[in-house]
Amino acid sequence: QYQKQFCDGTIRNQFFLDNVLKYSGVMTSQEVLRQRREEQQSSLTEWATEDQMSKIDSVLKSVARDWSREGREERSVVYDRLVGALTRHMPLTKGEPCCSGGTCCDE
């Protein structure tokens, strides 16, 4: 059950980030992957550097802390204004996935 919730949350987060990128006129994750596949001419694997891995580790720890039950109060102070602004400027349409885990509905 927890693994399914985690996977669903990951998909919803990627959907949200892709919409932010699309709205900003930047390539989405799927467009980047498609472009990489088209441009890939060799089978060489590109590995991440130690510095890149350290940054990713730091970001994931921050996300886990910020979005845990224990981080709720701090998250509210930091993110409520951002989420409110995003909701005003990029409202979900009925039926789209939303951060509550369900689908967006009329209020």
Side-chain angles (χ1 to χ4, degrees), residues 26-105:
V26 178
M27 289 174 48
T28 65
S29 63
Q30 295 302 309
E31 292 167 335
V32 169
L33 289 173
R34 192 176 309 113
Q35 182 183 38
R36 283 186 182 169
R37 278 192 298 264
E38 291 170 359
E39 292 175 352
Q40 191 174 26
Q41 296 175 354
S42 69
S43 61
L44 296 176
T45 303
E46 294 181 25
W47 296 98
T49 65
E50 183 113 7
D51 186 50
Q52 291 168 325
M53 293 303 293
S54 174
K55 289 177 183 177
I56 291 169
D57 183 58
S58 176
V59 167
L60 291 176
K61 284 179 182 175
S62 294
V63 168
R65 182 194 67 237
D66 289 355
W67 294 96
S68 68
R69 233 180 243 131
E70 294 78 18
R72 186 178 199 160
E73 185 176 328
E74 181 181 345
R75 178 177 67 241
S76 177
V77 171
V78 175
Y79 294 108
D80 279 356
R81 290 181 62 199
L82 174 64
V83 171
L86 286 169
T87 303
R88 282 191 305 280
H89 295 289
M90 294 179 59
L92 292 172
T93 57
K94 188 173 178 77
E96 283 187 277
C98 67
C99 59
S100 66
T103 56
C104 184
C105 12

